[in-house]
Amino acid sequence: MQRLEGLVRKAVQDYDMIAAGDRICVGVSGGKDSVALTVALGHLRRYLGEPFEVVAVTLDPCFGGVETDYTALAELFAAEDIPYQIRRTDIGPVVFDYRKEQNPCALCAKLRRGTLHTAAKELGCNKIALGHHLDDAVETFYMNLWREGRIGCFSPVTWLSRRELTMIRPMILATEAEVRHAVRRAGLPVVKSRCPADGATVREETKEFVRGMSRKDPAFRQKTLHALQQSGIDGWKPAHTGRKKDWANCADRAEQEG
């Protein structure tokens, strides 16, 4: 976890993600990314230098009308002194049973966003943290390019004016392999998704492309990150300059990914 926490700290500082007095709601799906982010932010409270609070919220979609068991996460967050809530929803039945969506991901994401924003406000939070990592950013960039014919990506920091919330993505400098490695080494529990569409999305095709390009060029992800930061599109230019190209460890990262 030490390397991952260092990358989270750098992203937080580069993009001014956290200020003194913030109360941050982490959306925890149960997957490795959101679990790792929650623990990393919990540890960051000790040495960032800015006092802030972290609370974790899981929105159970109740796929097939069945509640998911998150006991392992509740025990982990209790040990880490992170307040945790599980909110049962009807998102799964609405998307798959009632609406029978052919392309369910868009509607599911919209419903989850709205529910998470509501939960954050009810918990007195002013920021929401999501577990997107560098691979997610790279994949989103190429999906936008190929499918929509535009240059763009999600932003490291986004102000949601209608909700008066700030959305932050503190793991954007970490690759998926680094997150996976940290979770495995720390022995963190993961709750597997029961989504019927899991593994059958367009993003999975893009993941395969990124993996293939990274095998040919271990610096592929870092070069894409550098392009995003140099262009400054969608808020990717760091607020604090001085970041250098850091591709020296890319081969090691590729080996971690296998």
Side-chain angles (χ1 to χ4, degrees):
M1 283 294 293
Q2 187 173 3
R3 174 172 174 76
L4 179 61
E5 289 171 19
L7 291 169
V8 168
R9 182 176 186 175
K10 179 164 181 55
V12 165
Q13 293 175 334
D14 281 358
Y15 292 97
D16 285 334
M17 291 185 178
I18 297 177
D22 281 345
R23 183 171 170 85
I24 302 171
C25 175
V26 187
V28 182
S29 66
K32 66 182 187 310
D33 304 330
S34 57
V35 172
L37 173 61
T38 306
V39 173
L41 287 177
H43 292 175
L44 200 63
R45 293 176 299 181
R46 305 169 190 166
Y47 52 81
L48 183 62
E50 301 283 0
F52 67 95
E53 299 177 73
V54 177
V55 299
V57 175
T58 291
L59 307 175
D60 182 7
C62 295
F63 292 117
V66 178
E67 295 183 356
T68 301
D69 182 7
Y70 296 103
T71 302
L73 298 186
E75 293 174 351
L76 169 67
F77 298 145
E80 295 288 344
D81 193 27
I82 298 172
Y84 178 51
Q85 279 195 8
I86 301 168
R87 299 196 174 198
R88 310 295 181 180
T89 75
D90 60 356
I91 292 175
V94 167
V95 173
F96 290 99
D97 301 330
Y98 307 145
R99 295 282 295 270
K100 301 184 185 299
E101 291 286 320
Q102 295 299 311
N103 298 298
C105 296
L107 176 60
C108 184
K110 180 179 180 180
L111 294 175
R112 285 188 289 109
R113 279 196 304 270
T115 307
L116 181 60
H117 296 171
T118 298
K121 295 296 288 186
E122 290 176 354
L123 291 169
C125 297
N126 64 314
K127 290 183 178 176
I128 293 176
L130 300 181
H132 295 121
H133 44 61
L134 179 56
D135 287 58
D136 292 322
V138 172
E139 292 156 15
T140 299
F141 174 81
Y142 288 108
M143 286 175 64
N144 287 337
L145 181 63
W146 295 335
R147 294 179 62 82
E148 300 181 21
R150 66 182 180 89
I151 304 294
C153 188
F154 55 69
S155 302
V157 178
T158 305
W159 167 243
L160 307 174
S161 58
R162 294 180 61 183
R163 290 284 193 165
E164 295 188 332
L165 289 166
T166 299
M167 185 177 296
I168 61 175
R169 294 176 166 93
M171 291 204 306
I172 54 169
L173 300 183
T175 65
E176 183 173 17
E178 287 167 328
V179 176
R180 185 187 304 114
H181 185 65
V183 169
R184 183 172 61 248
R185 289 291 298 272
L188 300 181
V190 171
V191 178
K192 184 174 175 54
S193 171
R194 298 177 55 254
C195 174
D198 191 35
T201 64
V202 173
R203 183 170 289 274
E204 286 299 319
E205 299 174 6
T206 312
K207 279 182 178 292
E208 287 302 319
F209 164 77
V210 172
R211 289 173 185 144
M213 291 299 296
S214 297
R215 282 191 288 269
K216 297 176 183 177
D217 178 5
F220 179 74
R221 295 178 179 85
Q222 296 298 323
K223 288 177 179 177
T224 305
L225 170 63
H226 182 68
L228 285 168
Q229 292 181 322
Q230 288 296 103
S231 68
I233 60 172
D234 296 329
W236 275 88
K237 188 175 184 61
H240 301 287
T241 58
R243 177 175 173 78
K244 299 178 181 179
K245 295 179 183 178
D246 181 16
W247 301 340
N249 295 321
C250 290
D252 293 338
R253 295 174 187 175
E255 288 179 9
Q256 287 179 7
E257 183 173 328

